[in-house]
C-alpha cells in the first residue's frame, strides 16, 4: 500500500507520518519510509541524530543510477538519459518491490533501527544544496521519488509511506496520483482548512482517495470546527502529546508509552489504509502514469531530450501486484 502524508507547513504531517511508520513497524509490517519534503525532518522524527540524518544518501543526487537500473532491457527507452521523472515501466523494465535487495536500495536507502528493535528502510530525496539556490527547483529532486513509485509494485501487507512536500506543491507533478490513500493533516484553522479544500479540488478529477487527520485539536470546539468545515472527509482528530514533545526534544520514550488516544488513532489510520486495498485499480494507476508522462513529454521533455518520449509508452503493459513468493520475477 502506498500512503502519502500531506498538509501545510507546520501542520504536523512529518510527526504523524513518523508515528504511522513506527506503528507499522511495531505491527511487523514491512515498510519503506520516504522523505520527499524540502525540509528533511523524517529521519530525526524516526530517531536518527542530526549527523546520521545528514549522512543519508540523497535520492535526487543518484538519479542516473536509478534510471539505469529501472530501464532494464526495455527496448522503448533508447538510453537512461532519455528517461524523465514520469517515464512509465514497460516490458523489460526492472520493477522495485518493498521486500527485496537491489542496487537502488543499496545506493539510496538506509535502515533505521527503531528503539522497539524494528527496522525500517528510509529513502530521502535530499535537501537543497548551496549550488541549487536560485537555479534549481525542488521538484527536480522529487522526480527521483516519482520515478521509483512508477516502477514499484507492492502487496496488501506491504507499505510505502511518503512524507510529501508541504501544501499544494505536491501537485507540481503527477506524484499525487501514485497513492492508494492520502492523509491530509489539517490544523483547526482557516489556513489548515484552506489547504484541505485546495487539495480536495485538485484531487477530485483524478479519483484520489483522501482522508483528513485533524491535528493540534485542543477540545470539542476545535473538533467541531473541523467536522463542520471538512465533513465526511474527516477521519479523526488528535491533540497534544507529551510523548511527541519528548521526541521532538531528542528525548524519546519507548513507543509503547505513546498515549492511548494516539495509539488508537494510528490503528484507525492503519485500518483506513487497509480498506483501500479492495479499491486498487492497477489499470487506472497505469493510465494516470501514462497521462502525466505524455503531458510532460509534450510540454518540455521532448525538447530537452531531443527525443519523442511518447514512444516510451508500452500500450500493452499494466503495472500489477507482485508475484507470490517463489514465482518467476521479471528480469
Amino acid at each position: 500500500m502506498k500512503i502519502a502524508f500531506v498538509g501545510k507547513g507546520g501542520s504536523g504531517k512529518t510527526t504523524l507520518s513518523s508515528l504511522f511508520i513506527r506503528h507499522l513497524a511495531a505491527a511487523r509490517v514491512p515498510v519503506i519510509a520516504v522523505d520527499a519534503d524540502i525540509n528533511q525532518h523524517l529521519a530525526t522524527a524516526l530517531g536518527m541524530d542530526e549527523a546520521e540524518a545528514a549522512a543519508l544518501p540523497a535520492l535526487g543526487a543518484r538519479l542516473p543510477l536509478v534510471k539505469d537500473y529501472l530501464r532494464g532491457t526495455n527496448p522503448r527507452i533508447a538510453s537512461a538519459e532519455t528517461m524523465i521523472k514520469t517515464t512509465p515501466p514497460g516490458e523489460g523494465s526492472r520493477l522495485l518491490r518493498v521486500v527485496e535487495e537491489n542496487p537502488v536500495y543499496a545506493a539510496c536507502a538506509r535502515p533505521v533501527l527503531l528503539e522497539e528493535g524494528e527496522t525500517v528502510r528510509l529513502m530521502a530525496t535530499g535537501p537543497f544544496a548551496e549550488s541549487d539556490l536560485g537555479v534549481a527547483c525542488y521538484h527536480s529532486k522529487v522526480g527521483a521519488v516519482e520515478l521509483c513509485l512508477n516502477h514499484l509494485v507492492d502487496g496488501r501487507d506491504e507499505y510505502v509511506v511518503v512524507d510529501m512536500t508541504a501544501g499544494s506543491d505536491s501537485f507540481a507533478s503527477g506524484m499525487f496520483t501514485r497513492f492508494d490513500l492520502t492523509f491530509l493533516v489539517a490544523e483547526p484553522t482557516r489556513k489548515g482548512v484552506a489547504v484541505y479544500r485546495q487539495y480536495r479540488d485538485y484531487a477530485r478529477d483524478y479519483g484520489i482517495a483522501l482522508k483528513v487527520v485533524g491535528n493540534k485539536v485542543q477540545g470539542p470546539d476545535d473538533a467541531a470546527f473541523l467536522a463542520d468545515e471538512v465533513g465526511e472527509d474527516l477521519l479523526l482528530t488528535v491533540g497534544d502529546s507529551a510523548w511527541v514533545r519528548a521526541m521532538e526534544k531528542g528525548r524519546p520514550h519507548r513507543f509503547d508509552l505513546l498515549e492511548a488516544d494516539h495509539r488508537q488513532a494510528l490503528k484507525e489510520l492503519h485500518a483506513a489504509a487497509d480498506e483501500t486495498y479492495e479499491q486498487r485499480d492497477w489499470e487506472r494507476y497505469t493510465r494516470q502514469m501514462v497521462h502525466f508522462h505524455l503531458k510532460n513529454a509534450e510540454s518540455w521533455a521532448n525538447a530537452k531530450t531531443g527525443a519523442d518520449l511518447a514512444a516510451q509508452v508500452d500500450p500493452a503493459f499494466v503495472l500489477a501486484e507482485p508475484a507470490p513468493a517463489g514465482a518467476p520475477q521479471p528480469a
Side-chain angles (χ1 to χ4, degrees):
M1 308 296 292
K2 302 182 185 75
I3 306 298
F5 279 80
V6 302
K8 78 174 187 65
S11 64
K13 66 179 181 63
T14 297
T15 297
L16 283 170
S17 61
S18 71
L19 291 177
F20 187 57
I21 291 164
R22 289 175 183 269
H23 163 82
L24 293 173
R28 305 295 193 272
V29 175
V31 57
I32 294 176
V34 182
D35 192 343
D37 194 354
I38 189 171
N39 299 305
Q40 300 272 282
H41 296 314
L42 184 58
T44 52
L46 290 172
M48 278 189 166
D49 62 34
E50 296 290 345
E52 291 173 323
L56 285 171
L59 182 59
R62 289 159 175 79
L63 193 52
L65 179 150
V66 172
K67 290 179 177 180
D68 188 62
Y69 178 75
L70 297 179
R71 177 191 172 208
T73 59
N74 187 335
R76 294 177 178 272
I77 302 175
S79 67
E81 289 72 23
T82 62
M83 292 181 74
I84 62 173
K85 63 181 182 178
T86 55
T87 295
E91 188 67 31
S93 296
R94 291 191 179 99
L95 303 179
L96 303 175
R97 292 164 180 82
V98 173
V99 182
E100 70 169 357
E101 300 300 328
N102 60 55
V104 173
Y105 293 161
C108 306
R110 293 295 180 267
V112 180
L113 178 64
L114 304 177
E115 62 268 22
E116 302 81 42
E118 301 302 322
T119 299
V120 299
R121 182 175 272 158
L122 173 63
M123 302 175 75
T125 301
F128 247 21
E130 185 175 349
S131 59
D132 296 321
L133 298 178
V135 297
C137 170
Y138 189 67
H139 303 111
S140 64
K141 297 178 179 294
V142 177
V145 178
E146 184 172 0
L147 191 60
C148 286
L149 291 178
N150 282 357
H151 289 74
L152 192 146
V153 289
D154 54 303
R156 179 172 201 149
D157 298 317
E158 300 172 332
Y159 271 79
V160 179
V161 180
V162 182
D163 181 19
M164 297 280 280
T165 191
S168 58
D169 281 357
S170 301
F171 289 94
S173 73
M175 194 162 69
F176 72 96
T177 64
R178 305 295 87 207
F179 302 102
D180 295 288
L181 181 59
T182 295
F183 290 124
L184 188 145
V185 182
E187 298 169 87
T189 64
R190 292 172 64 186
K191 287 184 178 179
V193 170
V195 170
Y196 153 70
R197 288 177 177 155
Q198 188 177 35
Y199 209 104
R200 176 201 63 193
D201 293 345
Y202 283 150
R204 181 180 291 145
D205 292 340
Y206 293 94
I208 305 304
L210 178 68
K211 289 295 181 182
V212 174
V213 180
N215 193 29
K216 304 181 184 179
V217 172
Q218 300 299 315
D221 184 65
D222 283 350
F225 173 81
L226 284 171
D228 289 342
E229 298 292 333
V230 174
E232 63 183 13
D233 283 340
L234 182 63
L235 178 64
L236 56 87
T237 63
V238 292
D240 290 336
S241 164
W243 191 98
V244 169
R245 285 198 299 275
M247 182 269 292
E248 291 176 339
K249 294 175 182 176
R251 307 167 186 169
H253 301 305
R254 297 197 322 268
F255 185 63
D256 60 4
L257 297 178
L258 180 68
E259 293 87 345
D261 58 337
H262 281 69
R263 293 201 307 271
Q264 179 58 35
L266 295 174
K267 290 179 182 178
E268 292 180 30
L269 294 181
H270 194 171
D274 278 350
E275 286 175 5
T276 65
Y277 179 81
E278 301 302 331
Q279 282 72 55
R280 284 192 132 185
D281 185 342
W282 288 97
E283 289 188 0
R284 186 184 72 176
Y285 187 89
T286 306
R287 186 169 60 251
Q288 289 178 337
M289 185 165 41
V290 169
H291 167 75
F292 281 102
H293 178 64
L294 295 177
K295 285 186 67 173
N296 278 267
E298 182 177 353
S299 64
W300 63 272
N302 284 348
K304 182 176 181 179
T305 62
D308 177 13
L309 300 189
Q312 293 180 342
V313 176
D314 184 342
F317 184 86
V318 177
L319 206 63
E321 197 91 357
Q329 300 287 335

